[in-house]
Amino acid sequence: PGYQPSCLTAASWWRCVCYFSRRTETGEQGNRSDPVVIRVRSSMSLLKSLEVENFKSYRGRQVIGPFSPFTAVIGPNGSGKSNLMDAISFVFGEKTSHLRVKTVKELIHGAQVGHPVSDRASVTAVCQKDGEEVRFTRTVVGSGTVYTVNKKTVGKEEYALALDDLGLNMKARNFLVFQGEVESMAMRDPRELTPLFEEISGSGELAAEFENRRKAMMQLESEVQQKMEKRKALAAERKTAKVESEEAEKVQKLEKLLEYRVVELELFKLYHLDKEIDESRRKRQSVEQELNRTRSRQQIIDKIMAEKKSEVAKLQRERSTWEKKIRSKESERSKLSLEHGKAKQERDHIGKRLEKERKKLDQLVKAKESHDLEVNSLQSELENLEEQAGVYEREVSGRGTIELSQEELREYRRLKDMSSKQVSAVKERLDKLRRVEQSDEAAARHHKSMKQGLEEQRKNVLDKVQELEKRVGRLNEYLSENRKTLEEQERQYQELENNQTTSADRLNDISTELVEVEGVLSDFHMSSHQEEKRRKRADILSALQSVTQGVYGRVYELCEAKHHRHMIALVRSIGRHLDDIVVDNADTAKTCIKYLRDQALGVEHFLPMADLSVKPVDERLRNLGGTAKLLIDCVKLHNPEVKKAIQFCVGNDILCESVDEARDIAYKSREGRTVITLEGIVFHEFGGVSAGFSELKKKAKRWDEKNIDDVRQQREQLVSEMKRLKKDRTRDAELLTLKTKLEAFRQRQSYCEHDIKVTTEMSIPQAKDEFHKLDVKITETESKISEVTMAVDHSASAVHELEMELNGMEDQVFADFCERINVDNIRQYEEGQLKVHEERAQRLREYHEQITRLKSQLGYERSRRMDGDIEKLKQSIKKDKKEVKEKENGEAEMLKAVEKVSAGLEKLEAAKAEKQRDLDEKNVELSEVKNENGENHRKTLASERRLMTLDSYSDQKCADRHRILRKCRMESVSLPLEEGSELLDSVPLSEAEVSSVGITEGLSGLEDIDSMSSEGARLIYEREEKIKPDYSSLPDELLHEQDGSWVKSRAEEMEAAVLELHNKLRSAGAFNPHASDRLKDTDKRVRDATDELSDLRRRAQKAEKAFMDVQQDRYTRFMEAFDVVKDRVDGIYKSICYQPGAQAALYPDNITDPYLGAIMYECIPPGKRFLPMRDLSGGEKTIAALALVFALRSFRHPPFFVLDEIDAALDRTNIHKVARYVKNECEKGNFQCIVISLKLGLYEHADALIGVSRQVCVV
């Protein structure tokens, strides 16, 4: 529609028939797409026509067709061409989502705007096959669709089979080319072309099965490989078991010899330990007797000291009572002093105000005297002026004039009347001019009077401005002085306040610090025994450092953990070396040991650094990863010289944050490693695990012991500083007095600043503004005076001219009369009379104006009387004098009260001093008792120290005995015992065994005897004394009494022999006594593994065959389609380009499995060299894509194509090529083509045109 007839005449052989749309039943044109069919060349085709009913934009029932071999659908944009494509897609089974709607219901005409014309819509495709007509109908019913073939309702599968018989594949959509598909084909990546071949070939249907079978085959192959590895490992295990069986007999002989040597060594050690323990106990008895004597004396001293302390406490309470009274009096005196200061300040303030009022009164009195003189002067001047006016009136009334007779008067009147009649007009004009002149003169006088008044006002305003400026100057001077005083007062106040604030803040800080210090002290609470033990260790170390050089200190004093959370692990690693003393060499250690023995100070362990055998740090352990790190890296050394000793204690132990990580590092490595967690759990290199947290936490407090004295000293300093600061905070009264003065100064300064501001910003500007306004008014008045003066001069000139004219006329009338009375003219007579009259009136008017002015000025001055202000000021002065007197009386009373309180305070201070002297005397007595107590206490401590040394020595030996017994039980050493002795089973190995015998207090773990408390250890030692080893098996040479060095060297020799046997066993390797049984079991497992491997191989072969079948089927399907498309694409490309030189080629990049790779599509346009597809022009890409589209549909090609605007991206030349190709293919009968197009170059080659319009069309 809309095309000119010339478009049709270009092909005159067309036969056109137009079908017009009908109106609806209501007679209105429907908003729908009505087809206008132009049929050309009626011929047979597979798709004959299309019947749509209420489908999208097609309202009612519309029949579109018949379709020719090459049919073009044309129409303007928005007319419904694409809806025709949707209708064809819908009837041939396309999904709803591809029809540009969300639901099936939206396909009904009007549904998208909310007004569907019906509850159903349908599309029928009329096809022809072998001369028979087949009708395919798809109807929208409710929310679904119904399929019908030849008016018979069928299912979707049957419907698809019927379409497949015609060569139409619903899934592949091989007969539909939608809008934009050609452009997207041209832009596709080679890997995106593969799914297209999978779709048209059907090989994609096998993709899921292909992948599942491939995974199953790979899984079985992996299992076969694992079984093979397992069988290989079992074979190696069988070989190892055979070697173990041969070595077992050799190792058993060495074990028996080792067992004998171990029993001999342990019996030797136990024998000499028992001897040393008995000797230590004998010495302890004598020391204990001396200790009892000193303790008895201590009880007597304690009783005396308690009495002295009671007396001192009583005196301290009495002194506190006096101090409380003194503080109360001081508070009362401070309060009275504050009130006295306030009263004095108020009195000073009233006195200053009284002084100002007196000065102001003097000024008012002087001003009143000056004012009275001025009033009297004005009154005298007024009286003189009134008297002069009366004298003048009397003088004027006595002056004479020319006298006329009655006849002459009548003549004068007659002539005057005659003259008046003659000069009436001129006189009227003259009178008018005179009135104007008088009016101007009056105006001039008024403006001059106004100017005089304005000048007077201006003078008064100027005086006012000057007075205000002087007042501002005086206020600024006062403000400057007040500001200096205020700054000084503020400085003093700020200093005092800062001191008080600093004191308050420091008190708060001290309180907080005291709470923290008390918390630390409470957390570190130790019993007297523990405190004494700590002091004893410190005294011993101090003594050793004074005796010899090279004593560095205890291990826990020389190092600490870098982070607090590593402390438990560090305690666990150092273990029994925590209290050891680090020295430089063995000689220093021997010197210290000799000193300890001589002084009976107990037993200490030493670490001579020069003689320590320390393993070097294994650098590999620093790179384990995770949270693992060397424990030595987590230690902070206070003295770098002792690094070797700390390395000896810690070794190459590893620290981990979690148990799982520690276990993995300890057991999964081939090398034995000791790993410790943050909670103190140890995974030993030999496979054991140690735990226990509470005792480790107690030992970790050793680091806190170093700082406890500093904490106590810090507490004493804080308490002393707090007392000093509390004494300094008694200056609150002085601070309050200064604050009151500052407030008064600030208030006065605020008043002055406000007064200056108001005067400067309001009063002076207002006065100056008024002065300027008066200047403007004066200027305006002078201008008006000038104007009026000019008007008066003009009026006077006009009057003079009329007077001359009037005089001439009067002279003619009065000529004879003037001769008779002997005057020059009548005016001479009249002016004589008038002149006297006017002079008198002028003088009287002047006198009247002066009198009026003086009365006005006198009235103004009298209204300015100052008696009321003076009286008010006198009353205020009287009131202030009375108030000052009252304030002075109150101040004197307050001063007396302060002096009275001060006297009472002095008495209290004297009483307190007396009590203090008594208290000092009692303190001296108490100090003497304390000295005696200290001396006795030192003796007691010395005895206790010797006793503790012996106990420690005995406990150490008992601990050594316990270790030996425990070791014997743990290692199952068959130790011979006397008859009636307890068995080794009574030696506890765990907390459970300790509880079973009733010994639980003080024990947290038995890995080391040092981890026990002394009480718990002694209970165990007492029980172990019942274990009596039988020493009869020992040779006599080992039972002789010898010194300690011989026993030690002999034990070392025996230990070396045992170690040598251990080494032989270790070198021989561990053996398995059940090696033969293990060998049999290994043979059986090898046979089972072989059988399982054979079964898996059979299953793997079956899975591989199933996979190969699916792979071959998929490959066959894919290559069948690919070969057809590959063979056809080059010819189609040549046909479209209409050039034999054009070339197109397809090839897969994966020859074995082409469906898993990319399909490479290359084209060489005619007359050009080879370029990649991405470098071709847009038209060349579209032609290449069209060739591929037609080639893809050549495999099992459908009987017809529906193409939607495939020419959108083509120019006229390329459109002509495509049209020519489609035309040739349709004429050959290869397919039927229905094209939706807007370009004349394409549809002018069609056999038929179908025009789609939204309205009735006229051609």
Side-chain angles (χ1 to χ4, degrees):
Y3 292 105
Q4 298 298 327
S6 60
C7 297
L8 297 177
T9 57
S12 58
W13 45 270
W14 286 2
R15 179 170 60 86
C16 303
V17 180
C18 297
Y19 294 92
F20 299 94
S21 61
R22 297 180 178 179
R23 294 183 178 275
T24 59
E25 294 179 357
T26 59
E28 298 179 355
Q29 178 65 33
N31 185 16
R32 62 175 187 256
S33 299
D34 301 321
V36 178
V37 182
I38 305 175
R39 294 189 301 172
V40 186
R41 288 187 183 179
S42 178
S43 62
M44 298 299 292
S45 60
L46 185 61
L47 180 60
K48 293 181 63 178
S49 62
L50 196 69
E51 299 174 3
V52 295
E53 183 176 1
N54 293 327
F55 184 84
K56 282 200 167 184
S57 60
Y58 298 95
R59 182 173 182 176
R61 186 174 182 275
Q62 307 292 339
V63 179
I64 304 173
F67 294 106
S68 297
F70 184 13
T71 303
V73 179
I74 63 175
N77 287 328
S79 61
K81 300 188 300 300
S82 296
N83 289 340
L84 177 60
M85 182 70 175
D86 292 343
I88 296 173
S89 303
F90 174 72
V91 73
F92 288 123
E94 186 61 58
K95 294 181 180 179
T96 307
S97 59
H98 295 159
L99 301 178
R100 299 179 297 162
V101 294
K102 295 180 180 179
T103 61
V104 178
K105 292 182 179 181
E106 294 181 6
L107 295 173
I108 301 173
H109 179 78
Q112 291 188 349
V113 295
H115 301 287
V117 299
S118 176
D119 59 351
R120 62 176 56 200
S122 66
V123 179
T124 301
V126 181
C127 302
Q128 186 172 1
K129 180 183 179 184
D130 300 332
E132 295 182 1
E133 188 178 90
V134 182
R135 298 175 64 86
F136 293 91
T137 304
R138 187 178 179 188
T139 307
V140 177
V141 179
S143 59
T145 59
V146 176
Y147 299 94
T148 305
V149 180
N150 290 330
K151 299 184 180 180
K152 178 182 177 182
T153 303
V154 296
K156 185 175 181 180
E157 293 77 9
E158 188 176 352
Y159 190 80
L161 290 174
L163 290 174
D164 196 50
D165 290 341
L166 297 178
L168 303 176
N169 191 335
M170 289 176 59
K171 295 181 179 179
R173 299 187 299 174
N174 59 340
F175 57 93
L176 298 174
V177 180
F178 289 94
Q179 184 176 351
E181 185 173 344
V182 175
E183 289 82 351
S184 76
M185 182 73 73
M187 300 302 295
R188 286 194 180 187
D189 185 78
R191 191 167 291 277
E192 295 176 350
L193 294 177
T194 306
L196 295 176
F197 286 90
E198 290 251 85
E199 187 177 9
I200 64 172
S201 66
S203 63
E205 298 174 357
L206 301 174
E209 185 179 0
F210 173 86
E211 188 64 26
N212 291 335
R213 292 192 178 184
R214 186 181 67 82
K215 289 181 179 179
M217 181 186 70
M218 297 296 292
Q219 179 67 26
L220 287 171
E221 288 179 355
S222 176
E223 291 179 3
V224 168
Q225 187 66 27
Q226 291 176 3
K227 284 295 180 183
M228 291 178 65
E229 293 292 337
K230 182 177 180 182
R231 189 181 66 173
K232 185 178 179 181
L234 288 173
E237 185 178 352
R238 180 179 178 278
K239 185 177 179 180
T240 303
K242 186 176 180 181
V243 173
E244 289 178 353
S245 178
E246 294 173 353
E247 293 179 354
E249 184 178 355
K250 177 182 176 181
V251 174
Q252 287 175 352
K253 293 179 181 179
L254 288 173
E255 285 183 342
K256 289 181 180 178
L257 179 59
L258 176 63
E259 182 179 359
Y260 173 76
R261 294 298 183 191
V262 168
V263 170
E264 184 182 42
L265 173 62
E266 302 304 336
L267 284 174
F268 175 74
K269 289 180 180 179
L270 288 172
Y271 174 78
H272 288 283
L273 281 175
D274 288 342
K275 293 295 183 182
E276 291 176 358
I277 290 170
D278 292 340
E279 179 65 22
S280 174
R281 288 176 178 171
R282 285 193 298 270
K283 291 180 180 179
R284 188 182 187 282
Q285 290 178 356
S286 61
V287 174
E288 194 170 14
Q289 292 174 0
E290 178 65 22
L291 180 62
N292 291 333
R293 287 193 295 271
T294 56
R295 284 178 176 171
S296 300
R297 176 59 184 165
Q298 184 64 41
Q299 292 177 357
I300 298 171
I301 294 173
D302 288 343
K303 184 177 180 181
I304 296 172
M305 189 161 56
E307 294 175 356
K308 296 296 181 182
K309 284 183 178 180
S310 176
E311 293 175 359
V312 169
K314 182 180 178 182
L315 289 173
Q316 286 178 342
R317 287 194 297 272
E318 293 177 357
R319 184 188 63 181
S320 298
T321 303
W322 288 110
E323 287 177 348
K324 186 176 181 181
K325 292 179 180 180
I326 289 170
R327 285 195 297 271
S328 176
K329 285 292 183 181
E330 286 178 346
S331 175
E332 184 180 357
R333 185 176 64 179
S334 299
K335 185 176 180 181
L336 290 173
S337 298
L338 179 62
E339 292 177 355
H340 176 261
K342 289 176 67 177
K344 183 179 180 181
Q345 185 179 2
E346 291 176 358
R347 190 253 300 166
D348 293 341
H349 177 68
I350 296 171
K352 291 179 181 179
R353 186 176 64 193
L354 182 60
E355 184 65 24
K356 290 180 181 179
E357 289 174 348
R358 286 173 176 169
K359 291 180 180 179
K360 188 174 180 181
L361 180 61
D362 294 340
Q363 293 174 358
L364 284 177
V365 170
K366 292 179 181 179
K368 182 177 181 301
E369 292 174 354
S370 176
H371 178 263
D372 291 342
L373 290 174
E374 187 176 357
V375 169
N376 293 334
S377 175
L378 289 174
Q379 182 66 36
S380 175
E381 186 178 356
L382 178 61
E383 292 174 355
N384 292 334
L385 193 60
E386 288 177 347
E387 184 178 354
Q388 291 176 7
V391 171
Y392 176 74
E393 286 184 355
R394 288 192 297 271
E395 289 178 354
V396 171
S397 60
R399 289 180 184 177
T401 58
I402 300 174
E403 297 293 336
L404 296 178
S405 63
Q406 291 295 326
E407 185 64 28
E408 289 175 341
L409 284 174
R410 283 194 297 271
E411 181 66 19
Y412 171 76
R413 294 189 185 99
R414 183 181 65 80
L415 293 174
K416 193 68 174 175
D417 291 338
M418 184 186 300
S419 174
S420 298
K421 291 177 182 179
Q422 291 178 359
V423 299
S424 59
V426 177
K427 192 173 184 179
E428 185 176 352
R429 287 164 55 198
L430 181 61
D431 291 340
K432 186 176 181 181
L433 285 174
R434 283 177 176 169
R435 285 194 299 272
V436 172
E437 183 182 13
Q438 291 174 0
S439 176
D440 291 340
E441 290 176 350
R445 288 193 301 271
H446 171 70
H447 288 309
K448 288 178 180 179
S449 176
M450 183 182 293
K451 177 184 176 183
Q452 185 179 3
L454 291 172
E455 288 177 346
E456 186 68 24
Q457 292 181 16
R458 184 175 65 176
K459 181 177 179 300
N460 294 335
V461 170
L462 183 60
D463 294 340
K464 181 179 179 182
V465 170
Q466 293 175 352
E467 181 62 29
L468 289 174
E469 289 176 347
K470 290 179 181 178
R471 185 169 182 273
V472 169
R474 291 193 298 271
L475 288 175
N476 282 326
E477 291 177 0
Y478 173 76
L479 190 61
S480 177
E481 294 176 359
N482 190 65
R483 189 177 290 113
K484 292 179 180 178
T485 306
L486 179 61
E487 289 176 356
E488 181 63 24
Q489 294 289 336
E490 284 181 343
R491 186 185 61 77
Q492 295 178 4
Y493 177 78
Q494 193 65 36
E495 290 178 358
L496 187 57
E497 187 181 33
N498 289 339
N499 292 336
Q500 295 296 90
T501 304
T502 304
S503 299
D505 294 341
R506 182 56 186 158
L507 280 173
N508 293 333
D509 295 341
I510 290 173
S511 299
T512 305
E513 292 177 12
L514 273 176
V515 171
E516 294 176 357
V517 169
E518 293 293 346
V520 172
L521 291 174
S522 62
D523 291 341
F524 192 74
H525 177 70
M526 294 189 298
S527 64
S528 59
H529 176 69
Q530 292 172 331
E531 178 69 16
E532 182 58 33
K533 190 174 181 180
R534 184 184 71 84
R535 290 181 179 176
K536 177 186 173 183
R537 289 199 300 266
D539 293 342
I540 290 174
L541 181 62
S542 178
L544 292 177
Q545 288 175 338
S546 63
V547 168
T548 182
Q549 300 293 328
V551 179
Y552 294 102
R554 298 186 186 274
V555 171
Y556 74 87
E557 295 174 343
L558 298 172
C559 68
E560 62 179 322
K562 291 182 179 179
H563 196 282
H564 189 270
R565 62 197 187 107
H566 300 154
M567 195 177 293
I568 299 298
L570 182 60
V571 171
R572 172 65 75 183
S573 178
I574 295 176
R576 60 189 179 87
H577 298 297
L578 194 64
D579 291 322
D580 290 0
I581 299 174
V582 179
V583 295
D584 53 359
N585 52 47
D587 293 337
T588 304
K590 291 177 182 178
T591 303
C592 294
I593 293 172
K594 184 176 182 302
Y595 177 78
L596 293 174
R597 185 186 298 114
D598 295 341
Q599 299 295 327
L601 294 177
V603 179
E604 293 289 347
H605 295 271
F606 295 85
L607 295 177
M609 289 193 295
D611 302 293
L612 292 177
S613 178
V614 181
K615 295 181 180 179
V617 176
D618 191 349
E619 296 296 334
R620 296 175 301 166
L621 301 180
R622 287 194 168 102
N623 302 316
L624 292 176
T627 62
K629 61 187 75 173
L630 277 173
L631 187 58
I632 189 64
D633 294 338
C634 302
V635 178
K636 177 182 178 182
L637 299 177
H638 299 310
N639 187 350
E641 297 179 4
V642 300
K643 183 176 181 181
K644 184 177 180 180
I646 305 304
Q647 177 66 40
F648 171 78
C649 297
V650 176
N652 282 324
D653 291 356
I654 300 170
L655 174 64
C656 290
E657 294 188 3
S658 65
V659 176
D660 294 336
E661 185 179 9
R663 185 186 296 110
D664 292 342
I665 294 175
Y667 298 153
K668 289 187 178 181
S669 63
R670 296 180 180 178
E671 303 175 2
R673 296 171 179 167
T674 301
V675 187
I676 307 174
T677 66
L678 294 178
E679 295 81 11
I681 301 173
V682 184
F683 295 89
H684 295 283
E685 57 185 353
F686 55 80
V689 181
S690 302
F693 182 76
S694 59
E695 193 64 28
L696 294 177
K697 191 173 181 181
K698 292 178 182 178
K699 285 190 175 184
K701 286 188 176 181
R702 297 286 179 85
W703 279 284
D704 296 333
E705 291 178 7
K706 297 186 297 181
N707 302 323
I708 195 64
D709 292 333
D710 295 337
V711 174
R712 288 171 177 165
Q713 186 177 2
Q714 182 185 3
R715 179 182 178 278
E716 293 175 359
Q717 292 175 353
L718 291 174
V719 171
S720 175
E721 187 177 1
M722 178 180 283
K723 291 180 180 179
R724 180 179 59 78
L725 290 175
K726 285 183 177 179
K727 183 179 290 185
D728 291 342
R729 284 183 56 82
T730 57
R731 303 182 66 184
D732 289 339
E734 184 179 352
L735 184 66
L736 185 58
T737 303
L738 277 176
K739 185 177 180 181
T740 306
K741 288 182 179 180
L742 280 175
E743 289 176 354
F745 273 115
R746 290 194 186 103
Q747 190 173 11
R748 287 197 295 273
Q749 187 176 13
S750 176
Y751 289 157
C752 289
E753 289 175 350
H754 180 266
D755 197 356
I756 291 172
K757 183 178 180 181
V758 171
T759 305
T760 306
E761 296 180 0
M762 294 180 62
S763 300
I764 293 177
Q766 288 176 358
K768 288 183 178 180
D769 185 51
E770 185 179 358
F771 180 81
H772 293 311
K773 287 181 180 178
L774 289 173
D775 276 344
V776 172
K777 287 182 179 180
I778 289 172
T779 304
E780 293 175 353
T781 305
E782 288 176 347
S783 177
K784 290 180 181 179
I785 290 172
S786 178
E787 292 176 359
V788 172
T789 303
M790 291 175 63
V792 168
D793 293 341
H794 179 71
S795 299
S797 177
V799 168
H800 179 68
E801 291 177 357
L802 284 177
E803 284 179 347
M804 294 297 293
E805 182 180 355
L806 181 63
N807 291 337
M809 295 175 68
E810 285 183 346
D811 287 345
Q812 291 178 2
V813 175
F814 286 98
D816 296 338
F817 181 77
C818 290
E819 290 179 359
R820 284 196 302 268
I821 65 174
N822 197 20
V823 293
D824 294 334
N825 51 55
I826 194 63
R827 290 182 300 283
Q828 185 177 4
Y829 166 74
E830 291 177 351
E831 287 176 358
Q833 295 292 328
L834 291 175
K835 185 176 181 182
V836 173
H837 177 72
E838 287 178 359
E839 288 179 356
R840 184 175 58 185
Q842 179 66 24
R843 289 291 299 278
L844 290 176
R845 186 165 57 249
E846 290 176 357
Y847 279 124
H848 178 71
E849 288 177 357
Q850 292 180 11
I851 290 170
T852 302
R853 180 179 62 81
L854 288 174
K855 285 182 177 180
S856 175
Q857 188 174 357
L858 185 60
Y860 170 74
E861 293 296 336
R862 286 176 176 172
S863 64
R864 291 177 58 227
R865 297 184 64 85
M866 302 179 182
D867 297 338
D869 295 339
I870 293 173
E871 186 61 30
K872 288 180 181 178
L873 197 56
K874 288 181 178 179
Q875 293 295 329
S876 177
I877 290 172
K878 183 179 179 182
K879 181 180 178 182
D880 288 344
K881 286 181 178 179
K882 182 179 179 182
E883 191 171 354
V884 167
K885 187 66 176 177
E886 292 175 355
K887 293 293 182 182
E888 289 177 348
N889 295 334
E891 184 181 349
E893 292 177 0
M894 289 180 186
L895 185 59
K896 291 179 181 180
V898 170
E899 292 174 352
K900 182 178 178 181
V901 172
S902 298
L905 185 60
E906 291 176 358
K907 294 180 181 179
L908 292 175
E909 290 284 354
K912 176 194 169 185
E914 182 66 26
K915 291 295 179 183
Q916 184 64 43
R917 285 192 294 273
D918 295 342
L919 181 61
D920 293 341
E921 293 175 359
K922 293 297 180 183
N923 281 329
V924 170
E925 296 176 2
L926 180 61
S927 177
E928 293 174 355
V929 175
K930 284 183 178 180
N931 292 334
E932 184 180 358
N933 179 64
E935 183 65 25
N936 190 75
H937 184 65
R938 280 191 292 275
K939 293 180 180 179
T940 303
L941 288 179
S943 299
E944 289 177 348
R945 189 180 298 114
R946 290 195 296 273
L947 192 63
M948 289 172 59
T949 302
L950 292 171
D951 288 341
S952 176
Y953 179 78
S954 178
D955 290 344
Q956 185 63 40
K957 296 303 178 182
C958 290
D960 294 339
R961 188 176 189 274
H962 169 77
R963 290 193 190 94
I964 294 172
L965 294 175
R966 186 167 176 267
K967 178 182 177 183
C968 291
R969 184 185 174 190
M970 289 179 63
E971 297 179 359
S972 300
V973 177
S974 300
L975 198 67
L977 302 174
E978 293 180 358
E979 186 177 355
S981 170
E982 288 280 349
L983 299 178
L984 287 178
D985 293 340
S986 61
V987 178
L989 299 180
S990 64
E991 292 184 10
E993 294 186 12
V994 173
S995 300
S996 66
V997 297
I999 304 172
T1000 57
E1001 181 182 359
L1003 300 179
S1004 60
L1006 292 171
E1007 291 78 11
D1008 194 341
I1009 194 65
D1010 288 339
S1011 64
M1012 301 180 186
S1013 68
S1014 58
E1015 184 64 27
R1018 288 193 181 96
L1019 292 174
I1020 292 175
Y1021 300 158
E1022 290 175 1
R1023 184 176 182 82
E1024 289 176 352
E1025 287 178 1
K1026 299 178 182 179
I1027 300 174
K1028 304 293 184 181
D1030 186 2
Y1031 302 117
S1032 60
S1033 61
L1034 284 176
D1036 293 339
E1037 61 180 6
L1038 300 179
L1039 298 177
H1040 293 162
E1041 291 289 339
Q1042 300 288 345
D1043 59 0
S1045 60
W1046 179 86
V1047 172
K1048 183 178 179 181
S1049 62
R1050 185 64 176 169
E1052 290 176 352
E1053 292 175 0
M1054 297 174 71
E1055 286 175 352
V1058 171
L1059 181 61
E1060 183 179 0
L1061 290 174
H1062 270 298
N1063 292 334
K1064 288 182 180 180
L1065 280 174
R1066 190 178 293 110
S1067 61
F1071 76 98
N1072 186 358
H1074 306 290
S1076 58
D1077 297 337
R1078 181 186 174 194
L1079 182 61
K1080 294 177 183 178
D1081 180 63
T1082 305
D1083 289 337
K1084 182 178 180 301
R1085 285 189 289 157
V1086 169
R1087 288 193 299 273
D1088 294 342
T1090 303
D1091 296 340
E1092 291 177 1
L1093 180 61
S1094 300
D1095 181 59
L1096 275 175
R1097 281 176 172 168
R1098 287 192 296 272
R1099 289 168 56 196
Q1101 291 172 357
K1102 290 181 181 179
E1104 184 179 6
K1105 184 177 182 304
F1107 171 72
M1108 296 300 293
D1109 293 342
V1110 174
Q1111 184 184 34
Q1112 183 62 35
D1113 189 10
R1114 188 178 183 186
Y1115 178 81
T1116 302
R1117 291 189 187 185
F1118 187 89
M1119 291 307 296
E1120 181 183 0
F1122 180 77
D1123 291 340
V1124 172
V1125 175
K1126 181 182 70 173
D1127 295 339
R1128 288 282 296 149
V1129 69
D1130 185 61
I1132 293 173
Y1133 187 63
K1134 285 180 169 63
S1135 298
I1136 294 176
C1137 294
Y1138 205 64
Q1139 289 286 342
Q1143 296 181 23
L1146 281 170
Y1147 57 90
D1149 66 346
N1150 187 343
I1151 299 175
T1152 306
D1153 296 321
Y1155 38 80
L1156 299 180
I1159 302 298
M1160 311 304 295
Y1161 179 43
E1162 305 291 350
C1163 291
I1164 302 178
K1168 292 189 176 182
R1169 61 181 177 84
F1170 170 75
L1171 289 172
M1173 183 66 73
R1174 64 178 179 273
D1175 295 335
L1176 297 179
S1177 65
E1180 290 170 347
K1181 287 182 182 178
T1182 305
I1183 293 297
L1186 275 171
L1188 182 59
V1189 169
F1190 285 122
L1192 286 169
R1193 283 156 176 77
S1194 65
F1195 176 72
R1196 298 177 185 172
H1197 67 85
F1200 63 87
F1201 287 113
V1202 182
L1203 311 176
D1204 189 2
E1205 295 191 17
I1206 62 171
D1207 55 353
L1210 298 176
D1211 56 8
R1212 185 172 183 81
T1213 301
N1214 289 325
I1215 290 173
H1216 180 72
K1217 292 178 182 179
V1218 174
R1220 181 175 56 220
Y1221 170 76
V1222 174
K1223 180 73 173 177
N1224 291 338
E1225 292 295 316
C1226 290
E1227 287 178 351
K1228 292 177 183 178
N1230 291 335
F1231 55 74
Q1232 179 188 13
C1233 188
I1234 300 170
V1235 180
I1236 297 174
S1237 177
L1238 288 174
K1239 295 190 177 181
L1240 176 62
L1242 180 61
Y1243 66 70
E1244 70 181 355
H1245 294 85
D1247 298 328
L1249 299 180
I1250 295 179
V1252 181
S1253 174
R1254 297 178 67 87
Q1255 298 179 359
V1256 175
C1257 173
V1258 178
V1259 178

